[in-house]
Amino acid sequence: MEVAKAIKERRSIRKFTDQKVTGDEINQLLEAARLAPSGLNAQPWRFKVIQNRDDIFWLSREATKGQRWVGGANVVFICCADLSRYLEDAGASVRLLRDSGMLPPEMLAGIEEYVQKTKDASSELLRYAAAANCSIAIAQMMLQAVELGLGTCWIGMYEEDAIKKRFDIPEHMAIIALLAAGRPGEAPGPRPRKALEEIVF
Ligand SMILES: Cc1cc2nc3c(=O)[nH]c(=O)nc-3n(C[C@H](O)[C@H](O)[C@H](O)COP(=O)(O)O)c2cc1C
């Protein structure tokens, strides 16, 4: 499938059939995430794959502030950012780029400064940066899903602490989003978008 077609055809899907998403399909979605770009190649994304029906039902109650449609999903990805490894991995990546000569020398000073800034950042800012990276990975999963004939919906409304507790997610993992997926049981038309003139200035 052409990327442009996948971008055009993707919709948020909130109704799913009972037909299972296969292990191979789940792996293809995770592979799409794994290949995403990230600042300093830090790759902060981590995923918990929830397939158990009781767990998915639980997620469709208070954990997502009453989004009952989530209960029909076949799989829910808990998309996290590993904040404990983020700086370390970014630093290692810079060293690799520098030592391998892949980085043009004139970029080195700027990158060192960027890394230092990241090191000094508050945990809130760090979470924000990690979230930007994870969002790219999740977007790639959503597009890969279109090619596989799967539907997805990003869930941004959730109770982070309750979900962490239920699924034993450690403190240093920030939950960035949940991604519900399954075989589409609906075919909604395109949702409104702003005109090009409204978004280019
Ligand atoms: C950051 C983010 C948070 C979202 N949170 C939710 C959510 O909690 N529940 C939901 O049903 N849809 C959620 N959505 C889906 C949006 O409502 C949807 O993308 C938007 O209405 C456009 O529709 P489309 O995806 O079909 O083009 C979220 C999307 C994004 C990107």
Side-chain angles (χ1 to χ4, degrees):
M1 179 183 255
E2 299 278 337
V3 178
K5 189 170 155 68
I7 290 172
K8 263 199 181 131
E9 290 188 358
R10 186 210 55 78
R11 302 277 182 274
S12 288
I13 298 296
R14 300 180 181 86
K15 212 177 259 171
F16 304 96
T17 72
D18 290 338
Q19 214 192 333
K20 291 231 165 332
V21 176
T22 66
D24 184 52
E25 287 166 332
I26 289 173
N27 285 338
Q28 288 189 63
L29 297 182
L30 293 170
E31 182 64 3
R34 196 179 70 84
L35 297 177
S38 55
L40 299 172
N41 205 17
Q43 306 164 64
W45 40 74
R46 303 288 184 270
F47 299 93
K48 234 186 198 331
V49 182
I50 308 300
Q51 291 176 280
N52 177 282
R53 295 268 21 117
D54 290 344
D55 287 335
I56 292 176
F57 178 82
W58 181 85
L59 282 170
S60 73
R61 274 23 198 192
E62 288 82 34
T64 52
K65 304 186 193 274
Q67 299 194 61
R68 299 204 167 214
W69 65 267
V70 175
N74 204 252
V75 51
V76 177
F77 296 89
I78 304 180
C79 309
C80 305
D82 186 343
L83 299 182
S84 69
R85 290 270 311 266
Y86 187 54
L87 289 176
E88 205 182 301
D89 288 348
S93 179
V94 170
R95 285 192 291 282
L96 179 78
L97 287 168
R98 184 187 53 206
D99 298 346
S100 63
M102 277 193 276
L103 209 62
E106 65 272 19
M107 265 184 77
L108 267 179
I111 288 210
E112 299 285 4
E113 190 189 326
Y114 178 73
V115 170
Q116 192 53 47
K117 235 202 241 154
T118 318
K119 273 190 192 143
D120 295 341
S122 65
S123 65
E124 202 176 317
L125 198 64
L126 199 63
R127 185 187 165 103
Y128 177 80
N133 289 306
C134 291
S135 299
I136 301 171
I138 301 166
Q140 294 204 169
M141 293 169 87
M142 293 197 292
L143 291 180
Q144 179 63 72
V146 178
E147 187 182 56
L148 295 172
L150 300 174
T152 59
C153 188
W154 183 307
I155 303 165
M157 248 187 346
Y158 53 83
E159 296 287 351
E160 178 158 9
D161 291 344
I163 295 174
K164 274 185 163 173
K165 197 165 166 206
R166 170 134 182 148
F167 297 105
D168 284 329
I169 297 174
E171 197 44 49
H172 62 269
M173 293 281 186
I175 301 180
I176 303 304
L178 308 182
L179 185 68
R183 299 201 183 277
E186 61 174 347
R191 273 77 187 223
R193 289 295 190 267
K194 295 186 195 306
L196 197 60
E197 308 82 66
E198 286 183 79
I199 64 168
V200 178
F201 71 102

